[in-house]
Amino acid sequence: MKISDILKNNKVNVSFEVFPPKEWSKIETTKAVVCEMAKSSPAFMSVTYGAAGTTSGFTTEIAAEIKNNGITPLSHLTCLTSSKNKIDTVLNELEENGIENILALRGDIPQGFVFPDEQHFHYAYELVNTIREHGDFCIGGACYPEIHPESANRVEDFQHLKEKVDCGVDFLTTQMFFDNEIFYRFRENCAIKGIDVPLIAGIMPITNANQIKRSVELSGCAFPKKFMKILERFGENPKAMKQAGIIYATEQIIDLMANGQNNIHIYTMNKPDVAESIMKGLSEIINE
Ligand code: FAD
């Protein structure tokens, strides 16, 4: 099923995310994670793509496993370090496996990276164009409520986002954020700029103190005072931090829903227990 159709259902749609293993020998472990997560009945499940593209087959394999578990898969695809031929091969592979949904991404620029030749992509909008030309896929894109770290300013970031959406993006998933007010301002600005595809709000449950450094490095996102207080008090106690992180994420989702945000993506990071706890915390709220 196409995610664009799922998002039209006027219900609350909560999706999950898994990442593929780095080695083929661990593929069955990741498949078991998918199987566990599927039991919480997410609206769809996404599977990330290794930035270098060397494990692209793993992403397709996991996407196929998601489908086998009766859940709609969303396959991430980055283009920065891939040739156009390689992208064509991956698109054929996805088609052969009946994967209809792609999150079209550029990927982060590795240190010292030099663009090889004109056969390579520079930005995600070029990948969106290529996917549209290739076949009948539902295409998602990434967006950044706290602006993309490379962007000089918000005006430029929105301009490029609008251009990307106009190339044929069906929905946008946000980078993680921990302060809902930032998301509400972003959502309003999207409406003002005529970016009118569905927005999926990305929520990352922080379940251990080490994750914070990584999250800031990846996204540059701000942590509100309320969150920092939780970290100060419970950061040294793994069990307490995990519980507090799950509750913080659950409260964020409830506030989003109360403010009319029906599409929510949880960065579940291969943790079925975290996904299950959040869904249990929302059991009545989701079906209200
Ligand atoms: P783009 O949309 O191309 O934007 C990148 C930058 O270029 C922005 O600053 C933008 O304003 C600017 N820009 C865009 N077009 C132009 C133009 N025409 N001229 C000048 N500047 C321009 N990474 C992975 O490796 N694997 C994953 O699976 C993965 N999943 C992700 C999922 C989500 C929801 C998000 C938010 C990010 C994900 N990432 C992933 C990270 C992502 O690849 C990086 O954030 C990357 O730096 C930007 O990707 P993008 O698709 O947003 O790029």
Side-chain angles (χ1 to χ4, degrees):
M1 188 171 190
K2 294 222 166 91
I3 289 172
S4 48
D5 290 328
I6 295 177
L7 300 179
K8 282 181 197 147
N9 66 10
N10 268 333
K11 293 185 188 157
V12 172
N13 296 300
V14 178
S15 51
F16 296 165
E17 182 159 304
V18 287
F19 54 84
K22 289 199 172 69
E23 298 152 31
W24 184 255
S25 61
K26 306 262 168 62
I27 201 90
E28 292 305 322
T29 310
T30 310
K31 284 186 181 179
V33 166
V34 167
C35 205
E36 267 313 293
M37 279 198 188
K39 291 179 188 161
S40 295
S41 306
F44 65 87
M45 270 171 84
S46 71
V47 50
T48 63
Y49 192 83
T54 47
T55 55
S56 61
F58 300 10
T59 296
T60 310
E61 182 79 12
I62 297 300
E65 180 65 18
I66 292 169
K67 196 162 183 255
N68 290 341
N69 276 271
I71 305 287
T72 297
L74 168 63
S75 204
H76 292 201
L77 177 58
T78 69
C79 60
L80 186 68
T81 54
S82 292
S83 67
K84 294 190 174 165
N85 282 342
K86 162 81 181 173
I87 294 293
D88 267 340
T89 307
V90 177
L91 293 175
N92 287 334
E93 222 173 73
L94 292 171
E95 261 172 348
E96 281 157 21
N97 282 277
I99 314 293
E100 297 175 282
N101 305 290
I102 301 176
L103 191 68
L105 300 148
R106 188 200 63 181
D108 284 321
I109 302 176
Q111 254 192 348
F113 182 75
V114 180
F115 285 94
D117 52 46
E118 73 285 357
Q119 283 306 302
H120 280 73
F121 300 83
H122 290 70
Y123 297 109
Y125 81 86
E126 297 164 90
L127 178 61
V128 173
N129 284 332
T130 300
I131 299 171
R132 273 274 161 264
E133 280 164 21
H134 188 100
D136 184 24
F137 289 104
C138 166
I139 307 175
C143 62
Y144 304 83
E146 294 175 71
I147 87 169
H148 186 268
E150 280 165 44
S151 286
N153 55 58
R154 205 168 291 278
V155 173
E156 202 177 87
D157 208 42
F158 271 109
Q159 204 178 319
H160 293 140
L161 182 60
K162 169 91 173 102
E163 283 161 11
K164 180 164 73 176
V165 169
D166 289 348
C167 287
V169 165
D170 297 302
F171 65 90
L172 291 167
T173 306
T174 76
Q175 180 60 283
M176 65 184 88
F177 58 87
F178 297 89
D179 179 349
N180 287 0
E181 293 305 320
I182 292 173
F183 173 77
Y184 298 139
R185 271 197 300 277
F186 175 77
R187 186 173 65 174
E188 201 171 76
N189 274 319
C190 282
I192 291 168
K193 309 281 182 210
I195 298 168
D196 55 4
V197 293
L199 285 182
I200 305 182
I203 297 297
M204 167 78 92
I206 297 285
T207 53
N208 67 69
N210 296 337
Q211 234 180 305
I212 299 198
K213 190 169 168 279
R214 174 114 180 96
S215 299
V216 173
E217 273 168 15
L218 274 176
S219 67
C221 54
F223 286 96
K225 196 171 167 197
K226 178 180 168 185
F227 186 88
M228 294 316 288
K229 285 280 174 204
I230 291 173
L231 181 69
E232 241 173 66
R233 175 77 200 253
F234 307 113
E236 299 296 315
N237 178 339
K239 283 189 182 159
M241 186 62 222
K242 184 171 176 181
Q243 194 169 39
I246 288 170
I247 292 172
Y248 188 92
T250 309
E251 283 182 0
Q252 250 192 300
I253 295 171
I254 294 170
D255 180 71
L256 285 167
M257 285 168 56
N259 283 279
Q261 181 61 33
N262 275 354
N263 301 318
I264 291 151
H265 183 65
I266 309 178
Y267 291 102
T268 43
M269 308 290 288
N270 294 19
K271 293 177 187 155
D273 57 329
V274 172
E276 190 191 353
S277 295
I278 295 178
M279 293 306 256
K280 275 192 178 151
L282 297 170
S283 55
E284 294 300 324
I285 298 162
I286 272 186
N287 298 314
E288 163 281 338

